[in-house]
Amino acid sequence: IDKGTDLAVLKIDANTSQFVAVTLGDSNKIKVGQLVIAIGNPFSQSFSVTTGIISARERIIPSQNAQFSIPSVIQTDTAMNPGNSGGPLLDRFGHVIGINTQIMSHGGSNVGIGFAVPVAIAKKVVPSLISHGYHAYSFLGIAGLTLRPDVAKINELPNNTRGVLVVDIIK
């Protein structure tokens, strides 16, 4: 399990000839407006399929299970609800471009903003999980914010100051 990306690897002891592998796509080539298909089990309703488009790329969302954020996430308007997590986000050719992870909702149900971890991240994390049981991340050890002009002014810094404001040092 990698809590930082909400990805996991399962070992299944079964005859592998019973399974057909999906084709992994290239999430680096996706475009806003592109048609996508989400597969999952929303509200325990098995084998559910919804369609939509990619609404945005390169979103950063907080990890539900770790202290870090998940970078480069795909935003989609496909109807995702509790139970879609872990299902594939497919392009129109049936290639996996993401793994459904969470929705943005104040009421717990879909309001048109779902997120998927790009398959490019999964291609880095999954082999590490298989070989080591974990994925190691580089870590700077700070919590910071982008230094916006209003924050620079409050801190009596020159108007053109850019960078990161260190808010906390993390053990």
Side-chain angles (χ1 to χ4, degrees), residues 34-170:
Q34 175 180 329
L35 178 69
V36 289
I37 303 155
I39 299 177
N41 299 313
F43 301 113
S44 300
Q45 300 300 308
S46 300
F47 307 111
S48 178
V49 177
T50 61
T51 62
I53 62 166
I54 293 174
S55 305
R57 298 182 53 196
E58 302 297 322
R59 292 288 196 219
I60 298 173
I61 58 171
S63 171
Q64 299 286 352
N65 305 305
Q67 65 182 358
F68 305 108
S69 296
I70 305 173
S72 304
V73 175
I74 301 166
Q75 180 183 324
T76 178
D77 72 345
T78 56
M80 286 194 212
N81 288 291
N84 277 99
S85 294
L89 185 68
L90 309 167
D91 64 16
R92 66 187 180 110
F93 302 107
H95 302 144
V96 178
I97 56 169
I99 298 89
N100 304 327
T101 185
Q102 58 182 277
I103 61 172
M104 182 179 288
S105 172
H106 297 290
S109 295
N110 177 275
V111 290
I113 304 177
F115 299 101
V117 174
V119 76
I121 290 176
K123 287 178 179 178
K124 292 177 184 176
V125 172
V126 168
S128 180
L129 292 177
I130 292 169
S131 62
H132 306 296
Y134 64 92
H135 183 72
Y137 292 92
S138 54
F139 179 63
L140 189 56
I142 65 163
L145 299 171
T146 301
L147 188 57
R148 300 182 322 261
D150 57 332
V151 176
K153 183 177 180 180
I154 290 170
N155 287 286
E156 299 178 359
L157 298 170
N159 290 341
N160 60 351
T161 303
R162 294 183 183 184
V164 174
L165 177 65
V166 176
V167 178
D168 195 10
I169 297 173
I170 301 168

Side-chain angles (χ1 to χ4, degrees), residues 5-24:
T5 55
D6 194 26
L7 295 174
V9 175
L10 303 174
K11 180 179 180 182
I12 300 172
D13 291 324
N15 181 351
T16 56
S17 66
Q18 297 173 338
F19 300 103
V20 177
V22 293
T23 302
L24 299 181

